[in-house]
Amino acid sequence: MEKLLTVVVPVYKVEKYINKCLDSLIVSDEQMNLLEVIVVNDGTPDNSAIMAKEYERKYPNTFRVIDKENGGHGSAWNRGVQEATGKYLRFLDSDDWFDDSDFPKLISKLKSSDADIIFCNIDKHYVNKGIVKRKTLEPMKDGIVTKIADFNWLEWQNKSKIFDFWYCTYRTKMLKDVHPLFVEKVFYDDAILFIAPIILGSTFVYLNLTIYHYLIGRDGQTMNYSSQVAHAKDYTKVCKSMIDFAKKNECNELYKKQFVNKRINIYIRNTFIWLNALPKSELKEAMESTWFPYVKKNFPYYTEPKVIKYYQSLPYWIYKILYKLMVERKEKRTFLEDAE
């Protein structure tokens, strides 16, 4: 039977979480026939892949495990997109899970859908705080198909990071046409999804369902501050990939263009901020020889953030004190409001 939805699950060192993740994808027999789950074993050294293969054994018409050498999260996603056969595609990180009530409802609604992007709600589970926050996309109208070019996306820019993959189901062909989409062997590879769908897609629909449960705060997660500092250089590679993609697939529709250009400018600012974690010589090289000159040359819609002006106008030691105070006084969240 032709598959309706492909779910791509990258696996690396998640044996503590993998069962909960994959259990959330087990639906009725009828819907299992419409569902394709591609588990990409990214060379995990633990038992995660072995555990996933039990699902492949029990549900061979739905679950498929692909073994590959370690290449990072983006590499696993690229392979998953390449292998996908469903009309629609979702990404699910293997420490997260789908909602056991609303996920079957999504599959049912996809049967009659022809939109390029389907938005749904998410629940964020904060491990350290023991709380759950629901992020909805209301007051979007439930079930109304809308042209992407006609929607004022800037109104949503600071309300919700609407193109984060947790919210989105994509038409598979849209992503296959630009394969490989994700930068490999870096952190933050999903950032390209902030702009690619809005550039490539024609229509979207919002379904008032809560599908994705996102776990925040576990050890080793890339959202942790220490991880962001350790992988500061990865931001430059991902930022370049966003600029290159927008340049190659430039859109002329006003609302699309405004949104894409603002998202890239936000990422330019955040890239610079995390580069401050590097030694002075490496920061200087990035600003004067490599990353920043590239940005100014290849992104004509660049607007200079205040933080870069501070770097350029203040003595370095004063600038570093200012930056340190911002972090220590917990103003980092305001300073980096779009980094999450």
Side-chain angles (χ1 to χ4, degrees), residues 101-141:
S101 176
D102 280 0
F103 180 50
K105 295 176 185 177
L106 172 65
I107 296 175
S108 295
K109 289 181 178 292
L110 289 180
K111 293 178 184 178
S112 58
S113 176
D114 201 43
D116 292 324
I117 307 166
I118 295 95
F119 296 109
C120 296
N121 308 322
I122 70 169
D123 277 352
K124 290 187 172 184
H125 297 252
Y126 293 84
V127 176
N128 297 330
K129 299 178 182 179
I131 60 174
V132 179
K133 291 184 178 180
R134 177 155 296 176
K135 299 291 185 179
T136 72
L137 300 181
E138 296 178 292
M140 274 191 177
K141 294 181 180 179

Side-chain angles (χ1 to χ4, degrees), residues 175-203:
L175 300 186
K176 275 185 173 286
D177 285 347
V178 290
H179 176 79
L181 179 61
F182 305 103
V183 182
E184 301 189 1
K185 297 184 178 180
V186 299
F187 282 29
Y188 324 115
D189 49 83
D190 62 321
I192 192 67
L193 291 176
F194 293 153
I195 65 168
I198 196 172
I199 293 174
L200 300 172
S202 297
T203 57

Side-chain angles (χ1 to χ4, degrees), residues 219-237:
D219 291 341
Q221 198 168 31
T222 59
M223 295 309 304
N224 291 342
Y225 178 75
S226 59
S227 294
Q228 290 177 315
V229 169
H231 295 275
K233 285 186 176 180
D234 288 353
Y235 271 94
T236 64
K237 296 176 183 178

Side-chain angles (χ1 to χ4, degrees), residues 77-90:
W77 272 12
N78 280 334
R79 182 63 182 273
V81 173
Q82 180 184 349
E83 299 282 345
T85 65
K87 178 182 177 181
Y88 286 102
L89 182 146
R90 280 203 70 121

Side-chain angles (χ1 to χ4, degrees), residues 225 228-230 232 272-280 283 320 323:
Y225 178 75
Q228 290 177 315
V229 169
F272 170 72
I273 290 170
W274 290 114
L275 283 173
N276 280 273
L278 299 174
K280 179 180 179 181
L283 172 61
K320 288 296 286 187
Y323 174 76

Side-chain angles (χ1 to χ4, degrees), residues 21-259:
C21 172
L22 299 185
D23 282 347
S24 74
L25 301 175
I26 298 173
V27 287
S28 68
D29 290 343
E30 179 187 357
Q31 290 194 336
M32 290 289 270
N33 289 329
L34 300 173
L35 180 63
E36 175 183 55
V37 179
I38 298 178
V39 179
V40 184
N41 168 25
D42 192 37
T44 186
D46 66 1
N47 293 316
S48 302
I50 296 172
M51 295 164 73
K53 287 177 181 178
E54 276 299 300
Y55 292 82
E56 183 180 47
R57 184 184 64 79
K58 292 179 181 178
Y59 309 99
N61 294 325
T62 301
F63 285 81
R64 182 154 54 108
V65 178
I66 296 173
D67 298 315
K68 59 181 286 297
E69 292 184 1
N70 180 255
H73 187 267
S75 172
W77 272 12
N78 280 334
R79 182 63 182 273
V81 173
Q82 180 184 349
E83 299 282 345
T85 65
K87 178 182 177 181
Y88 286 102
L89 182 146
R90 280 203 70 121
F91 298 107
L92 174 60
D93 280 347
S94 45
D95 53 350
D96 300 329
W97 64 97
F98 283 169
D99 190 85
D100 60 359
S101 176
D102 280 0
F103 180 50
K105 295 176 185 177
L106 172 65
I107 296 175
S108 295
K109 289 181 178 292
L110 289 180
K111 293 178 184 178
S112 58
S113 176
D114 201 43
D116 292 324
I117 307 166
I118 295 95
F119 296 109
C120 296
N121 308 322
I122 70 169
D123 277 352
K124 290 187 172 184
H125 297 252
Y126 293 84
V127 176
N128 297 330
K129 299 178 182 179
I131 60 174
V132 179
K133 291 184 178 180
R134 177 155 296 176
K135 299 291 185 179
T136 72
L137 300 181
E138 296 178 292
M140 274 191 177
K141 294 181 180 179
D142 183 23
I144 304 299
V145 178
T146 306
K147 289 184 178 180
I148 291 175
D150 293 342
F151 190 80
N152 188 353
W153 297 99
L154 286 185
E155 291 183 357
W156 290 83
Q157 185 74 257
N158 296 318
K159 294 179 183 177
S160 174
K161 299 168 187 68
I162 190 169
F163 282 97
D164 278 336
F165 73 91
W166 317 306
Y167 296 98
C168 297
T169 303
Y170 311 95
R171 184 186 294 276
T172 304
K173 186 179 183 301
M174 185 172 69
L175 300 186
K176 275 185 173 286
D177 285 347
V178 290
H179 176 79
L181 179 61
F182 305 103
V183 182
E184 301 189 1
K185 297 184 178 180
V186 299
F187 282 29
Y188 324 115
D189 49 83
D190 62 321
I192 192 67
L193 291 176
F194 293 153
I195 65 168
I198 196 172
I199 293 174
L200 300 172
S202 297
T203 57
F204 76 92
V205 65
Y206 165 61
L207 301 178
N208 191 12
L209 301 171
T210 301
I211 304 299
Y212 202 105
H213 291 262
Y214 174 36
L215 189 66
I216 301 174
R218 74 171 179 87
D219 291 341
Q221 198 168 31
T222 59
M223 295 309 304
N224 291 342
Y225 178 75
S226 59
S227 294
Q228 290 177 315
V229 169
H231 295 275
K233 285 186 176 180
D234 288 353
Y235 271 94
T236 64
K237 296 176 183 178
V238 173
C239 187
K240 286 180 179 179
S241 77
M242 296 173 74
I243 292 171
D244 289 344
F245 188 90
K247 188 176 180 180
K248 183 178 180 180
N249 303 279
E250 186 166 10
C251 53
N252 296 315
E253 298 96 331
L254 177 63
Y255 288 144
K256 283 189 174 188
K257 199 166 190 174
Q258 287 177 335
F259 182 90

